[in-house]
Amino acid sequence: MKAFQSNETYIASEGLMRSVEVARALKKPLLVKGEPGTGKTMLAQAVADQLDMELFIWNVKSTTKAQDGLYVYDTVARLYDSQFGGDGVSDIGKYIKLGKMGEAFRSDKQVVLLIDEIDKADLEFPNDLLWELDRMEFYIPETKETVKAKSRPIVIITSNAEKELPDAFLRRCIFHYIDFPKPEMMEEIVRAHHPDLDKRLLAQAMEAFYILRDRQSLQKKPSTSELIDWVQALEIGGIDPKDIKATLPFAGVLLKKTEDLNRIGDLLMRGRGL
């Protein structure tokens, strides 16, 4: 079975690909969990590219409400038009703007819908989507219109596992957990961003990176994106590969918590290296 590819790097294992196919066959959302940098978001793009479908991305924030993905009624614009003589004020549909889920439902062709980082929103957010995800339709009371999906989109939902999702929501999803990349895979990922990187520098940087990730005392383990930035900083800084584990140059690119920086800094100051 062919692995999904993106323009940047290989991102999907055979198990993940099968989860995509199962979710598609059962017409259920695919919930993908994993640490930041494990390729969750890239998966949706890879699926869309592989199936030659358009990708709609709904980026979830802490303030996001379920209705934001369905539609927004711009009452301010309508009030402004009514006060200043704008045309078509009586046509409420003129002030209805579909969200990403609404656009996916309205599409004439099947599309891929990515609901990205669902665990950032309020705990009730996933439950508020259950009806729409099950029925593939929603009602707009302002226009008394029901928007039904012309073709059921392939729904991919990502979570960084920052909070537990409701059981009722989980029951309606196909679940897949993406493990953090092993060194061989990580090298491919880094090489996709920095193809001409010195082999010795990359080898030493990755060894230091995985040593840090294995330390249980760290409050925030460095992620893939931080490794990619770090090797670039090492290259720009002209760092000798043999000094990387001994001094951990530009540690602030990898470690983002003061406590972690202090803890590793103390260790390096004692001359013990990583």
Side-chain angles (χ1 to χ4, degrees):
M1 185 179 294
K2 184 179 178 182
F4 282 122
Q5 303 277 339
S6 75
N7 292 330
E8 295 185 4
T9 187
Y10 167 97
I11 65 167
S13 67
E14 186 173 346
L16 178 53
M17 290 167 48
R18 287 179 174 172
S19 294
V20 172
E21 293 301 326
V22 167
R24 189 181 182 194
L26 297 180
K27 298 180 179 180
K28 290 180 177 291
L30 175 63
L31 173 62
V32 183
K33 278 190 178 183
E35 289 187 39
T38 51
K40 300 186 300 299
T41 302
M42 291 171 61
L43 168 66
Q45 184 64 64
V47 171
D49 291 344
Q50 187 86 357
L51 300 176
D52 193 25
M53 294 181 181
E54 188 175 359
L55 173 64
F56 290 85
I57 302 176
W58 181 9
N59 293 303
V60 178
K61 302 177 181 178
S62 60
T63 56
T64 300
K65 302 299 180 186
Q67 184 174 310
D68 297 340
L70 306 178
Y71 77 95
V72 175
Y73 173 33
D74 194 344
T75 56
V76 175
R78 190 180 184 210
L79 177 61
Y80 181 89
D81 287 347
S82 66
Q83 290 178 334
F84 295 96
D87 294 331
V89 175
S90 60
D91 180 10
I92 297 180
K94 175 183 175 182
Y95 303 96
I96 298 293
K97 180 180 180 182
L98 294 179
K100 292 300 180 182
M101 183 179 287
E103 291 179 2
F105 284 12
R106 274 278 174 83
S107 176
D108 292 327
K109 297 181 179 180
Q110 187 178 34
V111 301
V112 177
L113 171 64
L114 171 64
I115 304 177
D116 200 23
E117 299 189 336
I118 194 171
D119 52 333
K120 280 188 174 181
D122 184 86
L123 188 60
E124 291 303 314
F125 176 82
N127 282 337
D128 291 343
L129 289 179
L130 290 179
W131 174 270
E132 288 77 15
L133 291 175
D134 281 346
R135 301 298 183 93
M136 284 288 146
E137 65 179 47
F138 62 92
Y139 181 66
I140 303 177
E142 288 84 0
T143 59
K144 298 179 174 58
E145 174 190 12
T146 297
V147 177
K148 295 184 178 181
K150 296 181 179 180
S151 181
R152 177 182 287 267
I154 298 173
V155 180
I156 298 176
I157 303 170
T158 70
S159 168
N160 289 331
E162 293 181 359
K163 67 178 71 168
E164 289 298 322
L165 298 173
D167 289 345
F169 177 79
L170 294 174
R171 284 195 296 271
R172 287 165 168 82
C173 298
I174 304 299
F175 177 77
H176 188 92
Y177 185 85
I178 299 182
D179 292 323
F180 196 81
K182 297 292 191 293
E184 296 78 12
M185 175 66 71
M186 185 62 77
E187 183 174 351
E188 290 187 35
I189 294 173
V190 175
R191 284 287 181 198
H193 292 268
H194 306 295
D196 300 322
L197 197 65
D198 179 79
K199 291 182 178 180
R200 294 179 305 147
L201 186 145
L202 178 56
Q204 292 299 308
M206 285 185 52
E207 187 173 344
F209 174 77
Y210 280 99
I211 289 174
L212 286 173
R213 283 190 55 84
D214 285 341
R215 290 192 173 276
Q216 300 299 319
S217 59
L218 287 186
Q219 294 189 18
K220 182 186 180 303
K221 295 180 180 181
S223 68
T224 304
S225 61
E226 288 155 346
L227 172 62
I228 292 170
D229 290 342
W230 189 47
V231 295
Q232 184 177 16
L234 295 174
E235 184 179 40
I236 293 173
I239 302 300
D240 191 323
K242 70 176 186 296
D243 295 332
I244 291 176
K245 287 192 294 181
T247 62
L248 202 67
F250 313 119
V253 179
L254 278 178
L255 304 173
K256 302 301 173 67
K257 295 282 188 178
T258 303
E259 296 82 354
D260 293 340
L261 282 169
N262 291 339
R263 188 174 290 111
I264 298 301
D266 290 342
L267 181 64
L268 296 174
M269 284 183 63
R270 292 198 294 268
R272 296 171 58 184
L274 292 179

